[in-house]
Amino acid sequence: MNPTDSSPLACGSPPGPAYRGRLAPSPTGYLHLGHARTFWAAQTRAQAAGGSLILRNEDLDSTRFKLEFVDAMLEDLRWFGFVWTEGPDWGGPFAPYNQSERMDCYRAALEKLRAGNFIYPCTCSRKDIQAAVRAPHENTGDELIYPGTCRAQRPSEIGPRKYSWRFRVPDGETIAFTDNNLGGQHFVAGRDFGDFLVWRPDGVPAYQLACVADDAAMRITEVVRGADLLISTARQWLLYRALGWPPPDFFHCPLLLDEQGRRLAKRHEALSLRTFRKQGLRPEQLRQGWRVDNKVD
Ligand code: GLU
């Protein structure tokens, strides 16, 4: 994929130093060992490249985030040994670093997508989609494949109903990229994932759009994150292309699993950094045996 338009990004300032990585936690619970492990890979890679590490507070979802988790997040990250060069606590050249303060950036990206006819308004509820998708798809995706009900809908046909904005994926196109950790990746649009949300009906930008707009505006050169987001990376590739912005490199880390083989979630309180700290464990003990690629020996 070759983004053609190299015009200035919607927001942000001049390019920073060569490598720019980021930590992008959502303050919806306490950070656990899985976050720490992925973030440690991000920090180690930024340090090895002599670059910068940015902390971005992904606090867009006001129904789920709590202020106490933002404070706890900063405290836990510092305790663990994370050091960021730009962030919500001391700012930086690409401030603000709280997503809730970056709405202009997201609106500009939405407008560009709308002007390019890459998105359409959608009035379907989750229930509508569930009802329309008769047979469960065999896909590697993390959400139902949108059946395209509103694809041809125009804003003028909607009336007073609330609507979201969806990205129209190029059905059948293979999205291929080389992950710096996991190697070649291929996803087929319309099969592995469908038309995805870029803007929610409550006026909040969806994760895919906010993430791309911020990573581009903050001049992130490599995104290090969990392998559960590989399919989102394919979606985000399409957004970068539509917006005419060069995508960053990607480095996805295998996820830490619990004893039952389930991925760690914020419900795993026993594995939260707070709990370890209360138990008197030191971060160095927790990091024993960790490899940057997050593979298990
Ligand atoms: N806030 C997102 C999360 O915690 C960030 C995902 C990403 O790194 O792109 O899942």
Side-chain angles (χ1 to χ4, degrees):
M1 272 183 250
N2 293 315
T4 46
D5 170 5
S6 57
S7 60
L9 301 180
C11 40
S13 31
Y19 185 103
R20 290 177 59 80
R22 49 54 154 199
L23 312 177
S26 303
T28 53
Y30 294 121
L31 294 179
H32 56 63
L33 204 55
H35 297 113
R37 191 147 169 229
T38 301
F39 292 167
W40 199 252
Q43 172 157 302
T44 309
R45 286 183 66 77
Q47 284 172 346
S52 313
L53 188 67
I54 286 90
L55 176 65
R56 186 168 72 227
N57 172 24
E58 303 221 320
D59 60 350
L60 276 181
D61 191 348
S62 59
T63 55
R64 289 173 63 224
F65 104 85
K66 290 205 188 124
L67 265 182
E68 65 171 281
F69 290 137
V70 180
D71 294 338
M73 184 171 93
L74 294 173
E75 196 182 292
D76 291 347
L77 288 171
R78 287 195 196 103
W79 170 75
F80 199 81
F82 289 105
V83 182
W84 50 94
T85 38
E86 298 164 33
D89 41 0
W90 45 61
F94 299 89
Y97 294 89
N98 291 315
Q99 285 197 321
S100 56
E101 295 167 39
R102 299 180 58 80
M103 288 300 286
D104 290 352
C105 186
Y106 312 136
R107 279 196 205 98
L110 181 76
E111 183 44 37
K112 200 166 176 189
L113 292 174
R114 204 195 52 73
N117 200 26
F118 290 105
I119 54 176
Y120 59 89
C122 171
T123 42
C124 294
S125 65
R126 196 185 292 263
K127 263 196 193 150
D128 295 335
I129 301 173
Q130 268 159 356
V133 180
R134 267 163 267 125
H137 278 251
E138 270 206 35
N139 70 67
T140 49
D142 41 1
E143 58 183 41
L144 289 176
I145 303 234
Y146 181 67
T149 322
C150 294
R151 263 194 173 185
Q153 182 161 250
R154 290 167 197 281
S156 55
E157 294 163 0
I158 292 175
R161 285 174 296 164
K162 282 200 165 183
Y163 60 93
S164 52
W165 287 98
R166 259 179 211 282
F167 187 91
R168 188 183 297 104
V169 304
D171 285 335
E173 182 179 335
T174 299
I175 316 303
F177 58 92
T178 303
D179 183 79
N180 286 345
N181 193 28
L182 304 178
Q185 304 294 319
H186 301 86
F187 296 97
V188 178
R191 186 197 74 188
D192 296 326
F193 63 94
D195 292 356
F196 56 89
L197 281 188
V198 292
W199 206 269
R200 298 181 353 188
D202 57 359
V204 177
Y207 158 69
Q208 312 294 351
L209 181 69
C211 181
V212 165
D214 283 344
D215 284 336
M218 294 177 181
R219 303 291 201 277
I220 300 302
T221 58
E222 186 182 68
V223 168
V224 177
R225 61 185 170 203
D228 54 325
L229 290 168
L230 267 171
I231 204 154
S232 281
T233 298
R235 296 182 179 104
Q236 292 176 18
W237 263 93
L238 291 173
L239 284 179
Y240 279 106
R241 184 172 67 176
L243 290 160
W245 298 341
D249 279 355
F250 294 96
F251 184 103
H252 288 85
C253 299
L255 298 182
L256 203 59
L257 302 177
D258 69 7
E259 277 153 13
Q260 283 84 47
R262 296 174 308 173
R263 66 183 242 225
L264 294 196
K266 283 171 179 152
R267 62 173 184 272
H268 286 84
E269 208 176 293
L271 295 172
S272 78
L273 298 185
R274 313 234 107 187
T275 306
F276 288 124
R277 187 165 147 201
K278 274 195 212 126
Q279 289 167 346
L281 272 144
R282 301 289 316 142
E284 305 81 62
Q285 292 171 279
L286 295 170
R287 289 198 292 270
Q288 248 167 37
W290 282 7
R291 296 171 26 167
V292 172
D293 59 11
N294 277 16
K295 291 186 181 130
V296 181
D297 287 315

